Amino acid sequence: MTPTPTPAAQENWLRLDNQICFSLHAASRAFNSVYRVILKDLGLTYPQYLVMLVLWEHGDLPVKKLGEHLRLDSGTLSPLLKRLEGAGFVRRERSTVDERSVEVRLTEEGAALRERAVEVPRRITVATGFDIDGIRELRTRLDELTTALDAAALSDTPGCS
Amino acid sequence: MTPTPTPAAQENWLRLDNQICFSLHAASRAFNSVYRVILKDLGLTYPQYLVMLVLWEHGDLPVKKLGEHLRLDSGTLSPLLKRLEGAGFVRRERSTVDERSVEVRLTEEGAALRERAVEVPRRITVATGFDIDGIRELRTRLDELTTALDAAALSDTPGCS
DNA sequence: CACAATTCAATTGGGCACAACTAAATGGCC
DNA sequence: GGCCATTTAGTTGTGCCCAATTGAATTGTG
């Protein structure tokens, strides 16, 4: 069936790799799809929703801090925040004490949106088909994975034979 | 501390939700980063690598079949395949038996790339910090999640109180 | 004060993802 | 044969993600 002389072991590695990376990729996009449907009422995309979650939890923040919470840089956040400002959910105001910094502030409308967003998490949880413990377990695994991958991306290990 | 009259339970939901959706989001991007580093030598992006994996495993395929394996539509695949063609790894040839269909074929160069890609999976596995069983377990969970989310996206349940 | 290094946001460019639409070809039906 | 629904790629528009660069403001140092 496989005409290549490659050892079976390498075939298995390739296949296993396919499984894990593809599974994560697919799960991420599936999550995105569900959020797209649920967040449409609120007029938010999924990454915009993440920004609003951070602002609801921590209050007004400079772009820099927002990026640290979300692990996103200004190249991603700047246009995203402009769209949120265009939608009327946030204002961007350059700090008076440090002119380099831009404060992202919730508008009345943005703060009020929280009331309507409160039901989102439960709907998402239901959609996952997981119970609380299952979600917690999965979250822990994913965070472990992210930590390990971040470390690997830094050390790189390009010369690995 | 919280001026809103919202019950504490809802606060917890919001926080829990933040954890799971954000964890997946972050893990997906972290994976992407590691692949970006490792695949740079090969001249592939991560989604392009997924396409090549499918072609290496299944041989030449029409765009439609490729999309089914990867769960991607032509809007994503068409430009991606053009870039792969530009890089010399695939050819796109319109089928002679059904003019609507476009066959994606590996070039010599594309097939040869497999030899160099063989070491990628092991490096990725090392980067995850997980052992084989851990990866298998996580893969299973993620596939369950994707299946549940896909089902939820279809049924939607928008009127949920 | 002057100068260099650093910090922060914004911009640009390349690529991925998806929705909506177009265009061409096929196949079934009368 | 002529008509129409379906199938298949492609195109367009919007948004996200990241790398690299730019430019303004700040901080540190002499």
Side-chain angles (χ1 to χ4, degrees), chain A residues 31-160:
Chain A
F31 235 123
N32 218 313
S33 286
V34 172
Y35 271 106
R36 198 192 326 278
V37 171
I38 292 182
L39 293 176
K40 188 153 68 173
D41 298 352
L42 304 184
L44 294 175
T45 66
Y46 175 47
Q48 288 169 6
Y49 172 67
L50 292 179
V51 168
M52 296 302 286
L53 279 182
V54 173
L55 293 177
W56 289 328
E57 183 168 350
H58 298 284
D60 301 342
L61 288 173
V63 175
K64 171 77 171 175
K65 289 287 182 189
L66 207 47
E68 287 173 1
H69 280 291
L70 296 167
R71 310 170 61 88
L72 292 173
D73 65 7
S74 65
T76 301
L77 285 176
S78 286
L80 190 157
L81 291 172
K82 282 186 181 176
R83 283 186 284 271
L84 279 180
E85 187 173 43
F89 296 136
V90 305
R91 275 189 306 272
R92 293 177 306 136
E93 296 173 359
R94 203 159 282 274
S95 167
T96 53
V97 298
D98 186 343
E99 292 277 338
R100 295 171 302 179
S101 178
V102 169
E103 283 279 325
V104 181
R105 304 185 186 284
L106 286 170
T107 60
E108 290 294 321
E109 197 174 346
L113 194 66
R114 180 180 188 162
E115 302 302 315
R116 296 210 289 143
V118 149
E119 73 169 25
V120 171
R122 195 180 47 73
R123 291 177 62 184
I124 290 292
T125 303
V126 170
T128 63
F130 280 47
D131 61 16
I132 304 292
D133 288 340
I135 287 178
R136 201 190 317 276
E137 166 75 10
L138 182 55
R139 187 188 68 72
T140 302
R141 288 278 169 281
L142 289 173
D143 288 347
E144 288 172 12
L145 184 61
T146 301
T147 301
L149 291 173
D150 281 349
L154 291 181
S155 65
D156 187 13
T157 70
C160 187

Side-chain angles (χ1 to χ4, degrees), chain B:
Chain B
M1 198 59 85
T2 56
T4 61
T6 316
Q10 287 187 339
E11 300 294 318
N12 285 338
W13 277 101
L14 262 187
R15 187 161 306 153
L16 182 65
D17 168 69
N18 189 350
Q19 302 288 346
I20 179 61
C21 70
F22 179 65
S23 290
L24 192 75
H25 199 60
S28 180
R29 284 183 293 134
F31 234 123
N32 220 312
S33 288
V34 172
Y35 270 107
R36 198 193 326 278
V37 171
I38 292 182
L39 292 176
K40 188 153 69 174
D41 298 353
L42 304 184
L44 293 175
T45 66
Y46 175 49
Q48 288 168 6
Y49 172 67
L50 292 180
V51 167
M52 297 301 286
L53 279 181
V54 173
L55 292 176
W56 288 328
E57 183 169 350
H58 297 284
D60 302 342
L61 288 173
V63 174
K64 171 75 172 179
K65 289 287 181 188
L66 207 48
E68 288 173 2
H69 279 292
L70 296 167
R71 309 169 62 89
L72 292 173
D73 66 6
S74 65
T76 301
L77 284 175
S78 286
L80 190 157
L81 290 171
K82 280 185 181 176
R83 284 186 284 268
L84 279 181
E85 187 173 43
F89 296 137
V90 305
R91 276 190 305 272
R92 294 176 305 135
E93 296 173 357
R94 205 158 278 275
S95 167
T96 52
V97 298
D98 186 343
E99 292 276 337
R100 293 170 304 180
S101 178
V102 169
E103 283 280 324
V104 180
R105 304 184 187 285
L106 287 169
T107 60
E108 289 295 319
E109 196 175 346
L113 194 65
R114 179 180 189 161
E115 302 303 315
R116 296 210 288 143
V118 150
E119 74 167 25
V120 170
R122 193 180 49 72
R123 292 177 61 185
I124 290 293
T125 301
V126 169
T128 64
F130 280 47
D131 60 16
I132 304 292
D133 288 340
I135 288 178
R136 202 191 316 275
E137 167 74 10
L138 183 55
R139 185 188 69 71
T140 302
R141 288 281 168 280
L142 290 173
D143 288 346
E144 288 172 11
L145 184 61
T146 301
T147 301
L149 291 173
D150 282 349
L154 291 181
S155 66
D156 187 15
T157 69
C160 189
S161 70

Side-chain angles (χ1 to χ4, degrees), chain A residues 19-28 142 145, chain B residues 24 27-28 31 142:
Chain A
Q19 302 286 347
I20 180 60
C21 68
F22 180 65
S23 290
L24 192 76
H25 199 61
S28 181
L142 289 173
L145 184 61
Chain B
L24 192 75
S28 180
F31 234 123
L142 290 173

